[in-house]
Amino acid sequence: MTQNQDRTNWVDNLRSFITVLVVAHHSSLAYTTFAHFNKEAYITSTHPIVDAARSRGLDIFEDFNDIFFMSLMFLIGGIFMSPGLRNKGVPVFIRDRFYRLFIPFIIGVTILMLLAYYPAYYLAHGQHDLRDYIVDYFTVEAWPVGPPWFIWVLFLFNIVFAVCFPLIKDSPMAPGAWLTAQSQRPWKLLLCWYLLTWLLYMPMALFIDPGMWTGIGPFDFQVSRIFLYFGYFLLGAVIGVPGLRNGIFSADSRLVRMWPVWAAAAVFVYALLKGSETPLRTMIGRGELSYFNANLLYRSVWTLSCTLSCMAFLTTFRSIFNITGSIWKSLSANAYGIYLVHYIFVIWCQYFLLDIDMAALLKFLITVVLSVTFSWALTWILRRNGLIRRYL
């Protein structure tokens, strides 16, 4: 492996790592202790496949990921927005985003998800009937979006930013310069980042069920986090204005040099968050604390966990994973395709493991390894076609 300062290898590597983490996250959902399956409408289940084997350790793994990793994905998705729009212009940029995001999304929710969800239909109805399955998929299950939800929401954010860009193209310069100035003031930056996260998330989280999703057809999104995701997308756009080698992630940034602190703090705050759950429930039960105030306290720690986890991963990859090599290059080139197709392999692998007497953690590891391997291989094969490569 070699260092290459002319490329932002660490961003490519982080994006690829988060993609693998998404695969692992979905692989864990069949084995959490809170998993449940609804035969009346499998889309209302916690996951399309629910195994009898369970693991509390996977509860923690799933919950830790859920707090930060999609916010971080949207932040990464915004980093190269301003340079891309300046280089291509708005019309070409929108055309490219349409090919790169919207068309794969449509293929994903109409073909790939149909392939993925079939085991759930069979478990719910106990019969193999392709016609009935397709009817059920589009009616009872209301055209389930699955993991491609991220792609259409990212496409929407791209379009909104691109349309507004001629009016605001100089607007991100001032906050971008301000952020750059804070690279030597990491604690001030942490406070501002945390306050931003709190303001983006708390008003929705306090008055809306955090698990509520809504939408039309496959255009689903998580209501309580939509402003958080859009805010992080815009934060990424601001971070990208001065260039990653000149901003808060420059080589001489104190923020970056303190990556061990952010990593340790992220672990500590998450442990604090989980440790607070039982005391808060007890205080609510005794009438010592209202549900609103308990939720306010809990979600305030939740937003700090989100903030620190994002900072920890960004600075850690900037510091020690700014490398390139054949494996990292291949994973980076195929990460988007892995994201698109992995759900097929995850669900089918979990389905085939259902009747095998095996520990939940081992089933989880098998699912992760096979899903990443098959998704990676399939994407590599598909991208050898020039037309498909244009979209992946």
Side-chain angles (χ1 to χ4, degrees):
M1 291 187 174
T2 58
Q3 289 280 91
N4 185 346
Q5 298 298 333
D6 295 327
R7 284 182 52 82
T8 51
N9 293 308
W10 68 272
V11 176
D12 293 337
N13 296 342
L14 179 56
R15 183 192 294 115
S16 303
F17 174 81
I18 296 296
T19 300
V20 173
L21 195 60
V22 168
V23 180
H25 181 84
H26 291 144
S27 298
S28 73
L29 288 172
Y31 312 110
T32 57
T33 61
F34 57 82
H36 63 84
F37 186 78
N38 182 2
K39 290 186 177 182
E40 300 299 322
Y42 60 77
I43 196 59
T44 62
S45 307
T46 55
H47 189 64
I49 300 295
V50 173
D51 201 299
R54 306 297 178 92
S55 168
R56 292 192 180 276
L58 292 177
D59 290 358
I60 296 173
F61 174 77
E62 182 277 335
D63 185 59
F64 177 76
N65 295 336
D66 181 67
I67 291 173
F68 81 94
F69 72 159
M70 297 314 298
S71 297
L72 183 54
M73 287 277 278
F74 281 110
L75 186 150
I76 294 171
I79 286 177
F80 300 107
M81 283 293 297
S82 293
L85 282 162
R86 292 181 190 280
N87 292 334
K88 297 180 179 180
V90 173
V92 174
F93 181 87
I94 291 177
R95 183 201 65 191
D96 288 351
R97 293 295 88 187
F98 180 82
Y99 287 135
R100 180 73 170 170
L101 295 174
F102 191 74
I103 291 180
F105 165 74
I106 293 299
I107 293 172
V109 296
T110 53
I111 298 176
L112 301 180
M113 291 306 102
L114 265 172
L115 295 172
Y117 278 105
Y118 186 79
Y121 171 81
Y122 176 71
L123 290 175
H125 298 277
Q127 61 180 10
H128 293 289
D129 190 314
L130 185 58
R131 178 184 176 280
D132 286 351
Y133 166 59
I134 294 174
V135 171
D136 177 85
Y137 180 87
F138 287 105
T139 56
V140 176
E141 316 305 334
W143 199 347
V145 64
W149 73 267
F150 168 76
I151 299 173
W152 91 259
V153 174
L154 181 63
F155 175 72
L156 177 64
F157 291 170
N158 273 254
I159 297 303
V160 170
F161 191 88
V163 169
C164 296
F165 189 73
L167 302 176
I168 65 166
K169 60 183 178 181
D170 295 324
S171 299
M173 293 297 182
W178 183 85
L179 272 181
T180 301
Q182 309 315 308
S183 63
Q184 306 306 322
R185 302 180 179 89
W187 296 108
K188 181 179 180 181
L189 185 58
L190 170 62
L191 177 61
C192 293
W193 197 325
Y194 171 61
L195 290 176
L196 175 65
T197 306
W198 196 96
L199 291 171
L200 289 169
Y201 180 67
M202 289 299 291
M204 299 291 281
L206 290 175
F207 300 103
I208 296 175
D209 178 4
M212 177 183 176
W213 287 70
T214 191
I216 300 174
F219 297 95
D220 270 3
F221 63 94
Q222 195 169 1
V223 181
S224 67
R225 301 188 190 183
I226 193 65
F227 292 136
L228 175 65
Y229 292 155
F230 188 52
Y232 266 60
F233 174 80
L234 294 179
L235 176 60
V238 171
I239 288 172
V241 166
L244 291 175
R245 289 186 293 273
N246 303 314
I248 59 174
F249 297 111
S250 62
D252 63 345
S253 166
R254 282 191 64 200
L255 176 76
V256 172
R257 293 201 302 270
M258 289 179 63
W259 69 267
V261 175
W262 310 134
V267 173
F268 174 79
V269 171
Y270 179 72
L272 178 65
L273 179 71
K274 299 307 292 181
S276 71
E277 292 177 352
T278 298
L280 288 174
R281 290 194 193 100
T282 301
M283 294 175 73
I284 293 172
R286 292 174 178 173
E288 298 171 354
L289 195 65
S290 68
Y291 175 80
F292 180 86
N293 288 335
N295 195 33
L296 177 63
L297 289 171
Y298 183 82
R299 294 295 165 182
S300 293
V301 181
W302 190 99
T303 53
L304 182 58
S305 180
C306 176
T307 302
L308 283 168
S309 292
C310 288
M311 289 180 64
F313 275 94
L314 286 162
T315 55
T316 299
F317 270 76
R318 175 62 181 90
S319 297
I320 61 178
F321 291 107
N322 190 26
I323 53 180
T324 186
S326 58
I327 294 177
W328 278 114
K329 285 181 179 179
S330 177
L331 182 58
S332 176
N334 294 291
Y336 186 36
I338 292 172
Y339 184 91
L340 273 170
V341 305
H342 79 273
Y343 213 48
I344 301 171
F345 298 108
V346 167
I347 294 178
W348 279 93
C349 187
Q350 290 168 339
Y351 169 71
F352 285 123
L353 291 173
L354 276 176
D355 296 327
I356 298 177
D357 186 13
M358 188 183 296
L361 186 58
L362 186 54
K363 288 187 175 185
F364 160 75
L365 291 174
I366 292 172
T367 302
V368 173
V369 171
L370 292 181
S371 298
V372 170
T373 301
F374 290 148
S375 300
W376 195 339
L378 177 60
T379 303
W380 181 83
I381 292 170
L382 291 174
R383 292 184 74 248
R384 292 175 68 84
N385 179 282
L387 178 62
I388 295 177
R389 191 185 185 93
R390 179 182 183 184
Y391 300 93
L392 295 180

